[in-house]
Amino acid sequence: MEKTIAINAGSSSLKFQLYNMPSEEVITKGIVERIGLKDSIFTITVDGEKITEVIDIPDHEVAVQMLLEKLILHHIIKAYDEITGIGHRVVHGGEKFPDSVYIDDQVIEAIEALSELAPLHNPANVTGIRAFRKVLPDVISVAVFDTAFHQTMSPKSFLYSLPYHYYKDYGIRKYGFHGTSHKYVSERAAELLGQPIEKLRLVTCHLGNGASIAAIEGGKSIDTSMGFTPLAGVSMGTRSGNIDPALIPFIMEKTGKTAEQVLDVLNKESGMLGVSGISSDLRDLEEAASKGNERADLALEVFVDRIHKYIGSYAARMNGVDAIIFTAGIGENSSFIREKVLQGLEFMGVYWDPALNQVHGEEAFLNYPHSPVKVLVVPTNEELMIARDVERIKNERA
């Protein structure tokens, strides 16, 4: 068995999942938090049990070294060379990377150059890549891009109605995100439906603190709700989703905030948090709404309304839908939100069973057998998609 590790590096965190491949068995997983801060937290799962240690970890290179040492300490591997592939999640690949790619110096430079499109994410992703390359220089590394799956969108979907040279000169267009998740759940849904994905019209709803909807026709993304950045689309935990762009200078004038400060509000103080004034956590809002809090209820209604609109829009775009798929933290676990989203879709052939909708965090069909449009819950697995792409590219290079 070859071992592949999937890595998701943030500015102060490093998530990991180690697989036996090609069996896809999860050997261990964990996260390093508060990297570069005092009292960093290292968590690893060993034989199903979480082991947590609080220790100062100054940078990602130390975090990677510690991770590898823990794998040996806990007898998960005997030697570093058992790891034969490393897959790195990279948020933004622009138009340059329509697929996952073997990482060399030129690829790292290109990812760094794309940092202006994802300034909070790409530099952190590169930090993780460099840290692993320094410690395991001879192991194949692969970059897996959140934006890659959506590169099949046509210009009518990805272009904004702006002067065309803005697109040609500055790369201003819709890119979309959560692509690895949308790809995984659409492929898994096709398996569960027993249909070739090439024949299916799917709407995938990745609903978490960040949320995006995708229209997938024939296994290819033809449209998605997020745009040039992950701020666009539906209302989210703290992000506004789509607004009238003229609001930005209006808010600047009324509040004295700079453009950067307004964007900060749109990213961090808006969405369900902004409308409710309580929390960005759906569980808090559901509880408050159940006790009669009107703004919590309104925040939920706004969240659901935007998702509902995208489903209808994408059904029209694809001349119908064969299945609607819910995934990510909210999509997998909130029967309340799923119910609200599905209500009123009977006109397009969605007939769902409230009893089946009580599922949480596991694969399930929610529709009645006679429903023309199927409704599924499919827990996402971005780490597995990363591991699979590592194996694919290793085999291509063999």
Side-chain angles (χ1 to χ4, degrees):
M1 287 279 187
E2 297 186 338
K3 293 180 174 63
T4 294
I5 192 163
I7 299 296
N8 183 352
S11 57
S12 62
S13 66
L14 187 103
K15 294 180 185 176
F16 60 91
Q17 197 148 307
L18 183 68
Y19 289 89
N20 267 329
M21 298 298 284
S23 70
E24 301 184 351
E25 171 201 2
V26 178
I27 306 168
T28 188
K29 59 184 177 180
I31 182 170
V32 190
E33 301 170 272
R34 295 177 54 83
I35 296 171
L37 305 171
K38 288 193 70 66
D39 298 328
S40 310
I41 305 166
F42 185 100
T43 304
I44 188 169
T45 301
V46 181
D47 296 327
E49 186 177 329
K50 281 187 179 179
I51 298 173
T52 298
E53 181 178 353
V54 177
I55 183 173
D56 290 350
I57 301 174
D59 55 42
H60 283 71
E61 189 177 326
V62 173
V64 170
Q65 188 66 56
M66 185 174 178
L67 162 58
L68 295 171
E69 289 170 359
K70 294 293 184 185
L71 293 179
I72 290 178
L73 176 67
H74 294 295
H75 308 293
I76 295 166
I77 60 174
K78 293 179 181 177
Y80 294 164
D81 60 12
E82 289 183 34
I83 298 173
T84 58
I86 306 165
H88 292 273
R89 179 203 179 205
V90 179
V91 165
H92 217 307
E95 290 186 320
K96 186 173 181 64
F97 297 109
D99 193 6
S100 301
V101 65
Y102 169 76
I103 296 173
D104 57 20
D105 291 340
Q106 288 70 38
V107 167
I108 293 175
E109 288 174 10
I111 295 171
E112 287 180 319
L114 289 163
S115 289
E116 66 175 350
L117 300 180
L120 300 178
H121 297 93
N122 273 33
N125 302 152
V126 168
T127 298
I129 289 169
R130 290 191 186 280
F132 268 93
R133 287 186 100 208
K134 187 161 187 177
V135 179
L136 296 176
D138 300 322
V139 179
I140 285 179
S141 293
V142 172
V144 180
F145 300 91
D146 279 9
T147 49
F149 181 59
H150 300 302
Q151 284 297 301
T152 50
M153 289 190 293
S154 64
K156 70 179 180 181
S157 292
F158 71 67
L159 277 179
Y160 294 116
S161 297
L162 296 170
Y164 189 73
H165 72 87
Y166 285 8
Y167 163 60
K168 298 304 291 182
D169 294 345
Y170 309 118
I172 296 174
R173 51 158 285 177
K174 177 190 288 191
Y175 288 102
F177 299 89
H178 296 143
T180 307
S181 176
H182 287 294
K183 185 169 191 266
Y184 173 80
V185 299
S186 62
E187 291 178 358
R188 181 59 186 150
E191 292 175 12
L192 294 169
L193 291 163
Q195 298 281 339
I197 197 169
E198 293 77 17
K199 295 184 177 180
L200 291 172
R201 299 162 300 174
L202 306 172
V203 175
T204 51
C205 304
H206 178 107
L207 308 179
N209 193 51
S212 64
I213 320 299
I216 300 171
E217 188 169 22
K220 298 183 185 304
S221 173
I222 65 164
D223 208 347
T224 190
S225 58
M226 284 181 168
F228 180 68
T229 74
L231 180 58
V234 301
S235 175
M236 304 175 223
T238 63
R239 296 178 214 159
S240 65
N242 290 344
I243 62 164
D244 183 334
L247 278 172
I248 295 176
F250 184 83
I251 294 170
M252 290 169 64
E253 182 181 334
K254 292 295 183 184
T255 65
K257 292 181 184 294
T258 65
E260 187 175 347
Q261 288 170 329
V262 173
L263 278 175
D264 209 47
V265 171
L266 296 178
N267 270 299
K268 298 176 183 177
E269 300 175 27
S270 301
M272 289 190 280
L273 172 63
V275 175
S276 72
I278 297 171
S279 174
S280 62
D281 191 302
L282 185 96
R283 292 163 294 190
D284 296 337
L285 298 180
E286 285 188 18
E287 182 181 354
S290 72
K291 294 176 180 176
N293 187 299
E294 292 183 2
R295 280 181 57 186
D297 186 62
L298 182 59
L300 296 172
E301 290 290 341
V302 170
F303 179 61
V304 167
D305 177 77
R306 305 306 188 263
I307 298 164
H308 199 80
K309 285 178 180 176
Y310 270 102
I311 291 174
S313 168
Y314 289 163
R317 176 72 189 279
M318 296 187 289
N319 300 311
V321 175
D322 297 303
I324 297 168
I325 300 129
F326 292 96
T327 193
I330 294 171
E332 294 167 25
N333 294 292
S334 177
S335 56
F336 174 84
I337 291 296
R338 293 194 301 258
E339 175 182 341
K340 290 281 192 181
V341 169
L342 293 169
Q343 282 175 347
L345 296 181
E346 292 81 6
F347 79 94
M348 55 181 271
V350 179
Y351 300 101
W352 56 282
D353 184 339
L356 294 176
N357 187 40
Q358 298 312 305
V359 69
H360 301 283
E362 58 187 77
E363 290 182 349
F365 282 88
L366 308 186
N367 56 276
Y368 287 114
H370 67 273
S371 180
V373 178
K374 308 305 179 189
V375 182
L376 299 87
V377 175
V378 180
T380 193
N381 197 333
E382 294 165 285
E383 291 81 11
L384 179 57
M385 289 300 290
I386 291 170
R388 285 176 178 173
D389 274 7
V390 172
E391 292 306 297
R392 172 170 61 87
I393 287 172
K394 274 171 56 181
N395 292 334
E396 288 172 359
R397 292 178 58 82

